[in-house]
Amino acid sequence: MTNKSSLPLIAIANFSLKAGGAGLNLLIQLVLARVLSSEDFGIYIIAFSLSTSIMVIASLGIPLSAIKFIPIYRHENQWPMIRGFFGAGALTTLIGGILFAVIAYTCTYMLVDKASSPTLFSALTIAILSIPFLALSQTLVAYLQSLQHVIAAEFVANIIRPVVTLLGVGASVMFMADIDVTWILWLTLFGISASVAVGLQQFFHYVPDSIANVKSQFELKPWFATGISTMVIMGGVILNERIDVMLVGAYSSIEDAGIYGVCARLAFFVGFALTAVNAILGPQLSAILATKDIDKFKKVAVIGAAMAVFAAVTLSLILVILDTWVLSLFGEPFIDGKPVLHVLLLSQIAVACFGATGAVVVLFGGYRITIISVITALLCNVLLNLMLIPIYGPVGAALATLIGQILGCGIITLWCLRHSGINSTIFGIAVLFRSRTPAN
């Protein structure tokens, strides 16, 4: 078990590794934007977005199920169940990864013209090959998290792949005269494979000895029921974040997809700050709810929303002030992405205004409305992308993202107000100035 006194240090290390991984991924994009042609960079963004989006559903919810069940089994010393879960989960992940890779390749073969777009077809094929590896890496990370080796898990999830990929890109720049997107994607696949190898090594290092001499037992129905229901939510969220890049490439231009991808990555840093605030807030809200102190719950939730808005506005203003300089680091054509960046930053501020509403709705048992909100936001995002991209280009995609985000957050906010009476958005800030409700 993790020592309680070490939890703050683990949280700091966890955040640092996540921030380091985000920085490394941005650095990869910066280097590739300089090394590749505009078209090749756009193809890279589309291909990588495709593979990482499919990865979430390809694992069939096993990572999310592991985080829920393995700690319970460890606490109850149900080692046969743990052994059974590890084996069945790994096999399910591999089957799901291969199955979705085959489906993705079939769709690519049917939809992409190999004669007129050979580079795009080759790049997508390599990206699709990485799906089983990405899914397995995701499951191994969840296994390590469920065994409470959070630092090792974050190292595998956020550091190995970008570091190995960057080293490969650096060596290629030094020793190769010509580098194209297919070579970069092979390097990326190698980096993903390295993360799987390290993940396996760490897993076998930390797996409890107690499962070595027991016979596997299974509870397949609850494992898959929990995993798949949560997978729908996570899959919808990830698709909502990345479908716009792919649609920009399909309905505007591949070069525009590259510019949009960079702007989305920069805006992600604002969203990353919001995630950090909510990660701190979630456990606090859960503990307060256990005491049934609703007044304190409301105030802490609103304070969290205020912190999120402050962080989002501050970081967004910095990026707006420095937008020309920051985008020029990726190359002169990327400066045209300023309007896209501004709209995406506005989207992050809008999400910040809703604070920890997502965590609140889960704490009050609103799983069904969460699924409804995610699917509604995704459908709205796709439809608006299809309508707005042909007219406004990448800016239309950013506007679609903004509207979809507001719609999705608005749905769960209304549910919270109706079912719990709690307004955890920035607009509930008046609760901070009210006197405490007297105890009965």
Side-chain angles (χ1 to χ4, degrees):
M1 290 291 182
T2 302
N3 192 317
K4 288 184 179 180
S5 63
S6 67
L7 288 178
L9 292 176
I10 291 175
I12 292 171
N14 184 27
F15 176 82
S16 300
L17 287 171
K18 285 183 182 293
L24 286 169
N25 281 309
L26 182 63
L27 181 59
I28 288 175
Q29 288 196 1
L30 193 153
V31 171
L32 295 183
R34 288 292 188 173
V35 171
L36 299 174
S37 66
S38 297
E39 182 178 1
D40 272 9
F41 181 73
I43 290 174
Y44 171 82
I45 293 294
I46 293 170
F48 192 68
S49 296
L50 175 68
S51 60
T52 51
S53 296
I54 297 175
M55 165 194 75
V56 178
I57 56 175
S59 59
L60 299 176
I62 291 299
L64 302 163
S65 192
I67 292 171
K68 176 179 179 179
F69 286 102
I70 297 301
I72 296 173
Y73 293 152
R74 289 187 71 212
H75 179 71
E76 298 175 351
N77 292 323
Q78 295 191 47
W79 305 114
M81 285 294 186
I82 295 177
R83 184 184 178 98
F85 189 102
F86 283 154
L91 181 61
T92 300
T93 298
L94 282 174
I95 293 173
I98 293 170
L99 176 63
F100 276 91
V102 170
I103 294 171
Y105 179 79
T106 302
C107 294
T108 300
Y109 188 85
M110 294 172 61
L111 296 175
V112 177
D113 188 343
K114 297 177 288 299
S116 61
S117 305
T119 303
L120 176 61
F121 180 79
S122 298
L124 291 176
T125 300
I126 299 169
I128 289 167
L129 285 174
S130 71
I131 291 173
F133 297 94
L134 284 167
L136 184 57
S137 176
Q138 185 182 219
T139 295
L140 289 169
V141 167
Y143 282 179
L144 290 169
Q145 290 172 333
S146 70
L147 294 172
Q148 297 187 343
H149 295 287
V150 179
I151 304 303
E154 292 299 330
F155 189 76
V156 172
N158 295 303
I159 304 300
I160 298 297
R161 180 195 59 77
V163 166
V164 172
T165 304
L166 271 174
L167 290 174
V169 172
S172 300
V173 170
M174 291 173 59
F175 299 109
M176 295 176 64
D178 186 31
I179 302 173
D180 64 5
V181 65
T182 55
W183 175 249
I184 295 298
L185 285 166
W186 281 119
L187 291 176
T188 304
L189 178 55
F190 182 74
I192 295 167
S193 302
S195 72
V196 172
V198 174
L200 284 169
Q201 183 274 325
Q202 291 292 294
F203 171 70
F204 286 119
H205 177 72
Y206 288 117
V207 69
D209 293 334
S210 303
I211 73 170
N213 299 314
V214 297
K215 187 176 180 180
S216 298
Q217 293 182 8
F218 305 93
E219 289 182 330
L220 297 180
K221 187 175 180 179
W223 294 348
F224 287 110
T226 298
I228 291 175
S229 62
T230 315
M231 179 195 71
V232 172
I233 298 174
M234 294 302 298
V237 170
I238 296 297
L239 282 173
N240 213 11
E241 291 175 352
R242 297 174 186 173
I243 193 70
D244 45 3
V245 175
M246 292 179 275
L247 291 174
V248 168
Y251 292 97
S252 183
S253 70
I254 291 177
E255 291 82 0
D256 281 346
I259 295 172
Y260 190 95
V262 165
C263 294
R265 176 63 65 177
L266 290 170
F268 170 78
F269 273 90
V270 176
F272 184 77
L274 309 183
T275 301
V277 171
N278 287 334
I280 296 170
L281 206 62
Q284 291 186 23
L285 291 174
S286 180
I288 294 168
L289 186 62
T291 68
K292 301 187 181 345
D293 191 342
I294 300 301
D295 283 340
K296 185 177 181 180
F297 186 96
K298 291 178 179 179
K299 290 181 178 180
V300 171
V302 171
I303 289 171
M307 291 170 59
V309 170
F310 177 78
V313 171
T314 302
L315 292 173
S316 296
L317 282 175
I318 293 172
L319 282 173
V320 168
I321 293 169
L322 301 176
D323 55 3
T324 301
W325 177 76
V326 171
L327 289 170
S328 68
L329 294 175
F330 295 85
E332 198 70 22
F334 290 87
I335 298 176
D336 294 337
K338 285 195 293 184
V340 175
L341 177 61
H342 296 167
V343 176
L344 291 175
L345 291 174
L346 184 60
S347 176
Q348 295 292 348
I349 294 173
V351 172
C353 289
F354 291 94
T357 304
V360 173
V361 76
V362 170
L363 287 173
F364 282 88
Y367 293 101
R368 181 175 297 177
I369 194 64
T370 302
I371 293 174
I372 291 172
S373 70
V374 168
I375 293 175
T376 302
L378 177 60
L379 292 175
C380 174
N381 193 5
V382 171
L383 290 174
L384 287 175
N385 267 287
L386 295 176
M387 292 169 58
L388 297 177
I389 291 175
I391 302 173
Y392 301 107
V395 176
L399 287 170
T401 297
L402 170 61
I403 297 170
Q405 294 274 29
I406 293 174
L407 178 62
C409 292
I411 290 172
I412 58 175
T413 298
L414 291 174
W415 187 93
C416 281
L417 289 171
R418 181 178 177 183
H419 288 80
S420 68
I422 293 175
N423 184 356
S424 58
T425 72
I426 190 64
F427 307 107
I429 200 167
V431 73
L432 298 178
F433 306 100
R434 295 175 189 163
S435 59
R436 187 177 179 86
T437 303
N440 293 329

